[in-house]
Amino acid sequence: MFAAYAARIDSDQPLNGLELGERPAPEPRPGWSTVTVKAASLNHHDLWTLRGVGFKEEQLPMILGCDAAGIDENGNEVVIHSVIGQSGHGVGPREPRSLLTERYQGTFAEQVSVPTWNLLPKPAGLTFEQAACLPTSWLTAYRMLFTNAGVRPGDSVLVQGAGGGVATAAIVLGKAAGLRVYATSRDEAKRKRAVELGAADAFEPGARLPHRVDAVIETVGAATWSHSVKSLRPGGTLVISGATSGDRPAHAELTRIFFLELKVVGSTMGTKDELEDLLSFCTTTGIRPVIDDVLPLDRAREGFERMAAGDLFGKIVLTR
């Protein structure tokens, strides 16, 4: 079957390891289902895999891709929860959780095999392309906001780095949940787009906000860390799920953190139940993932190049 896969690891030039071509189709195994992929979306995790982060060279070649929506062996339209081993179903109780492509072949292919427990029904109101955007970045944003930040309608939130998948999702979800959302971006067009999606206002990174916020959604890391901490009200919560600009900020702001009793919470992906809630939330409110572009799988390299350059707003989706 045709697939986009990691053939080599290159920490400096990750796209040097990306190959497009034929790979073996998944073989049947007890407790697992084979899904015919209709759409799959790109995540920064795919670039990290090509860099060898959390991934060993002996696992090569590895089909990339965490997110997908498609059709199972029984003809059901499904969405894949991409955290494997969270429940033990299909892998055994002692296997630690992992994301697709960390241990098992991914979704950038004609077919993918996952534990049957990891499949959720695709809501009829979502296209395959929309549904394929939800299981990683949108689920991450959902958990950051509603589980780990614990915000409620009327609260205020700062979302750093508008344009990225998680940040874009946080803006849309926050607006739909009745939050007052502020956003930042170095790019004027992205700031404008953030406001169009529901942000109360958007600023350049480091700018002073109209007031301190209840929570910050942080995925940028070192470049925005100090601003994130300084933007919180006393007792506020900073939730971090990534560090695309690096994980070593020049100023940790420790004095401010303890003096103002701020909370710093790490967040990774989400549970199957949270993904089910997210699908329901999209259905009930009518919100939909922001899709930057849809490309055929054989043009996957273009999508990777745009993601690596930060030249997008929302998700890039691959289809067959």
Side-chain angles (χ1 to χ4, degrees):
M1 65 178 182
F2 187 80
Y5 61 96
R8 292 169 299 280
I9 290 174
D10 190 326
S11 59
D12 297 321
Q13 300 292 328
L15 295 188
N16 287 344
L18 176 64
E19 296 284 351
L20 277 66
E22 294 296 315
R23 296 298 305 149
E27 297 182 359
R29 56 187 295 181
W32 288 54
S33 292
T34 298
V35 176
T36 298
V37 177
K38 302 293 288 184
S41 67
L42 272 70
N43 292 285
H44 276 279
H45 184 270
D46 301 308
L47 281 176
W48 293 122
T49 300
L50 288 166
R51 289 190 173 100
V53 177
F55 184 79
K56 298 178 181 178
E57 195 163 3
E58 53 263 32
Q59 296 173 265
L60 295 172
M62 175 64 73
I63 297 173
L64 298 167
C66 305
D67 292 350
I71 301 174
D72 70 9
E73 302 109 320
N74 299 316
N76 301 306
E77 296 184 352
V78 295
V79 182
I80 294 173
H81 176 52
S82 56
V83 182
I84 309 298
Q86 194 171 60
S87 65
H89 286 81
V91 297
R94 289 186 174 85
E95 179 169 323
R97 70 175 184 174
S98 64
L99 202 57
L100 270 180
T101 75
E102 291 176 348
R103 290 175 179 262
Y104 301 102
Q105 302 293 324
T107 60
F108 294 167
E110 296 176 56
Q111 293 183 321
V112 63
S113 181
V114 298
T116 303
W117 182 87
N118 284 67
L119 300 181
L120 284 166
K122 180 184 78 65
L126 291 175
T127 66
F128 284 107
E129 291 83 359
Q130 292 166 343
C133 297
L134 297 176
T136 295
S137 61
W138 277 68
L139 177 59
T140 297
Y142 185 91
R143 181 175 177 83
M144 292 176 79
L145 283 168
F146 306 124
T147 301
N148 288 327
V151 288
R152 299 291 183 268
D155 284 349
S156 56
V157 176
L158 170 63
V159 177
Q160 298 281 19
V166 175
T168 302
I171 293 169
V172 176
L173 291 169
K175 170 64 175 179
L179 305 176
R180 186 170 183 82
V181 182
Y182 299 107
T184 66
S185 175
R186 294 174 297 176
D187 184 276
E188 183 178 358
K190 290 182 178 180
R191 294 196 296 271
K192 181 179 179 181
R193 182 76 173 116
V195 173
E196 291 172 351
L197 288 174
D201 209 342
F203 306 91
E204 293 185 2
R208 186 182 183 89
L209 303 183
H211 59 86
R212 292 181 180 176
V213 297
D214 297 290
V216 175
I217 302 302
E218 174 65 82
T219 59
V220 179
T224 55
W225 181 261
S226 183
H227 181 242
S228 292
V229 174
K230 292 177 180 177
S231 297
L232 282 169
R233 65 162 176 79
T237 303
L238 191 163
V239 185
I240 180 168
S241 68
T244 55
S245 67
D247 62 359
R248 299 182 182 185
H251 301 286
E253 305 293 348
L254 296 180
T255 302
R256 184 178 293 267
I257 289 172
F258 72 71
F259 188 74
L260 296 180
E261 297 188 312
L262 305 179
K263 293 179 284 292
V264 177
V265 182
S267 189
T268 299
M269 290 291 292
T271 67
K272 180 184 175 183
D273 287 344
E274 287 169 329
L275 178 56
E276 189 172 18
D277 290 343
L278 171 58
L279 291 167
S280 178
F281 190 59
C282 289
T283 300
T284 302
T285 61
I287 62 173
R288 295 295 182 265
V290 180
I291 296 176
D292 183 279
D293 203 1
V294 178
L295 299 171
L297 182 57
D298 59 9
R299 291 173 57 190
R301 183 172 293 276
E302 295 178 38
F304 271 86
E305 289 171 347
R306 289 190 56 197
M307 183 172 65
D311 182 25
L312 48 76
F313 196 105
K315 301 290 289 180
I316 291 180
V317 178
L318 304 176
T319 60
R320 284 289 293 168

